[in-house]
Amino acid sequence: MSRRRSWAEPWKIKVVEPIRMTTRAEREAAVREAGYNTFLLRSEECYIDLLTDSGTSAMSDQQWAGMMLGDEAYAGSSNFYALQEAVRKYYGYEHLIPTHQGRGAENILSQVLIDEGDFVPGNMYFTTTRLHQELAGGTFRDVIIDEGHDPSSEHPFKGNVDLAKLRELVEEVGAERVPYITVGVTVNLAGGQPVSMANLREVAEYCREQGILVILDATRAVENAYFVQQREDGYSDKSVARILREICDLSDGATMSGKKDSLVNIGGWLGVRDPRIAEQARNLVVVYEGLHTYGGMAGRDMEAMARGIAESVQDDHIRARVGQVEYLGGKLIEAGVPVVRPIGGHAVFLDAAAMLPHLAREVFPAQALASALYVESGIRSMERGAVSAGRDPVSGENRYPKLELVRLTIPRRVYTQAHMDVTAESVLEVLDQRERVRGLEFAYEPEYLRFFQARFDTVGGDGIFA
Ligand SMILES: *Cc1c(COP(=O)(O)O)cnc(C)c1O
């Protein structure tokens, strides 16, 4: 292993899907039609689609073979038992509640554990996670270390929980008002940054003392395990699969979006150890998702996920996956583009505030940059800044997080090194014309998770480039 420097993919390509380059005029029309929101573009209007790594991965031949073994019985599908076995083996949770995707698990967990007036700490918010906590009557409190909010800090574990911030909250409101902490491994909105095993151990110990549950957002826990193997003392000769178990063993449960680490197009789950929580969750899953042995997934989806989990923890796979992300990030850093450092597990995050200093936060520089990159190159990215952060539920004011980012998210096993090269070149082309990029203002603002469906107008003239 030590002599092997390459992150070359441990697979070869068997099936291809054509993609098409559009003209600049087509893209200008398309982005205007989409209200300058990349979520509202059609997929066929995109050349390289880096909107998200969610549900966009390529399945293996083994997973596709598993699709033919779908047992579509309403109750007790054999694929459910295969999934349960995979989750028990690799994540270690005794009780599995399947859901249609991650937010289904977040909804159920929030309803089971949160009472009106409770506080739920977390290492930086995630959009759907925080909204479900708020809808259940809870208040989210950010307890990530300060470095997590600093795009230039090279801290190797920028996702870590700040124990002092956690203690302060518990002392302020009382442990009985804090049912659980959500620990994201890795932290998506901090730039795909990992949590160290040492930090997780401290969090688990403190929370056990206080009677607070530790719930992982395990969406990218395999990527977190890989960073632990690469960066933390004492882990370099442990397998990613073994480290993953060690991470999960420190927690009481997890919500999971199978659409990320687990290499499937749809699916998720809630995993817990406490049989009483499992029972309450099963009572709710039948209301919101489906019977407790399918939770909104077809049998074939559960089989693909069971197989995907086993593939996702292979050291070769995860080294190639993160290696590709680091390759793109390295190219941009070399060219002097301001990006969140160190490069995270699933995406390269452009620091839009630094790239477009002529645009005030109120005209959403990251939203504008995503539109400009699309018009320039056909590459689709996503805003992760003030638009994603939404409004404060009490004051109604816009929330302005420290980070104003554009995310170039890499689907697993989909694009090649040449696509990464084109992506880096395209970002540089936008950088060359940065002063011409116009700001945006809301034309339509939805009440919940506004970034998905919002529409914008350009400020000071027509078109994203002046
Ligand atoms: C995607 C995601 C979720 C939500 O999962 P869905 O499957 O999209 O519902 C939760 N947490 C994190 C960190 C995610 O990236």
Side-chain angles (χ1 to χ4, degrees), residues 52-54 100-106 125-129 184-189 217-220 255-260 266-268 346 384 407 452:
T52 174
D53 64 333
S54 178
H100 75 287
Q101 58 185 82
R103 70 198 69 185
E106 292 167 354
Y125 83 100
F126 185 73
T127 52
T128 56
T129 318
V185 283
T186 57
V187 184
N188 190 343
L189 296 200
D217 182 339
T219 295
R220 295 182 187 82
T255 56
M256 178 71 189
S257 171
K259 304 175 69 170
K260 323 295 177 43
I266 195 73
H346 67 296
R384 278 302 185 214
R407 190 178 82 179
F452 283 131

Side-chain angles (χ1 to χ4, degrees), residues 36 68 138 203 235 240 303 316 370 393 419 429:
Y36 298 93
M68 286 304 290
V203 170
Y235 288 94
V240 164
E303 187 62 32
D316 271 6
H419 290 120
E429 270 157 20

Side-chain angles (χ1 to χ4, degrees), residues 121-275:
N123 51 346
M124 199 172 277
Y125 83 100
F126 185 73
T127 52
T128 56
T129 318
R130 179 175 66 190
L131 180 59
H132 280 301
Q133 291 165 355
E134 289 172 350
L135 291 173
T139 301
F140 169 82
R141 191 68 76 80
D142 186 9
V143 294
I144 199 170
I145 57 173
D146 288 343
E147 287 88 342
H149 291 284
D150 175 2
S152 62
S153 161
E154 292 274 4
H155 193 297
F157 293 103
K158 282 169 88 169
N160 279 357
V161 172
D162 188 329
L163 266 290
K165 288 182 191 168
L166 178 58
R167 276 202 197 90
E168 198 180 309
L169 169 69
V170 172
E171 277 157 28
E172 180 193 324
V173 304
E176 66 287 351
R177 299 265 63 166
V178 183
Y180 67 98
I181 178 173
T182 307
V183 183
V185 283
T186 57
V187 184
N188 190 343
L189 296 200
Q193 304 293 330
V195 176
S196 73
M197 202 67 88
N199 182 251
L200 206 52
R201 219 174 279 121
E202 269 189 282
V203 170
E205 203 170 305
Y206 174 73
C207 287
R208 198 174 317 111
E209 274 167 29
Q210 298 291 328
I212 296 168
L213 297 176
V214 176
I215 302 292
L216 299 179
D217 182 339
T219 295
R220 295 182 187 82
V222 180
E223 290 170 11
N224 201 108
Y226 175 74
F227 285 122
V228 167
Q229 184 194 56
Q230 298 299 307
R231 297 178 186 171
E232 194 160 354
D233 283 348
Y235 288 94
S236 61
D237 55 2
K238 288 190 180 171
S239 71
V240 164
R242 171 129 179 244
I243 298 169
L244 175 67
R245 260 313 281 274
E246 211 173 309
I247 290 173
C248 295
D249 285 351
L250 289 167
S251 74
D252 300 287
T255 56
M256 178 71 189
S257 171
K259 304 175 69 170
K260 323 295 177 43
D261 269 352
S262 304
L263 300 162
V264 289
N265 304 123
I266 195 73
W269 47 262
L270 169 66
V272 292
R273 301 188 202 288
D274 185 335

Side-chain angles (χ1 to χ4, degrees), residues 1 12 31 53 66-67 104 114 147 153 195 211 252 310 314 319-320 326 330 369 373 375-376 381:
M1 189 169 134
K12 56 186 176 176
V31 80
D53 64 333
M67 296 289 276
I114 298 173
E147 287 88 342
S153 161
V195 176
D252 300 287
Q314 300 306 311
R319 182 190 305 120
E326 288 176 336
L369 181 59
L373 180 63
V375 168
E376 179 59 39
S381 58

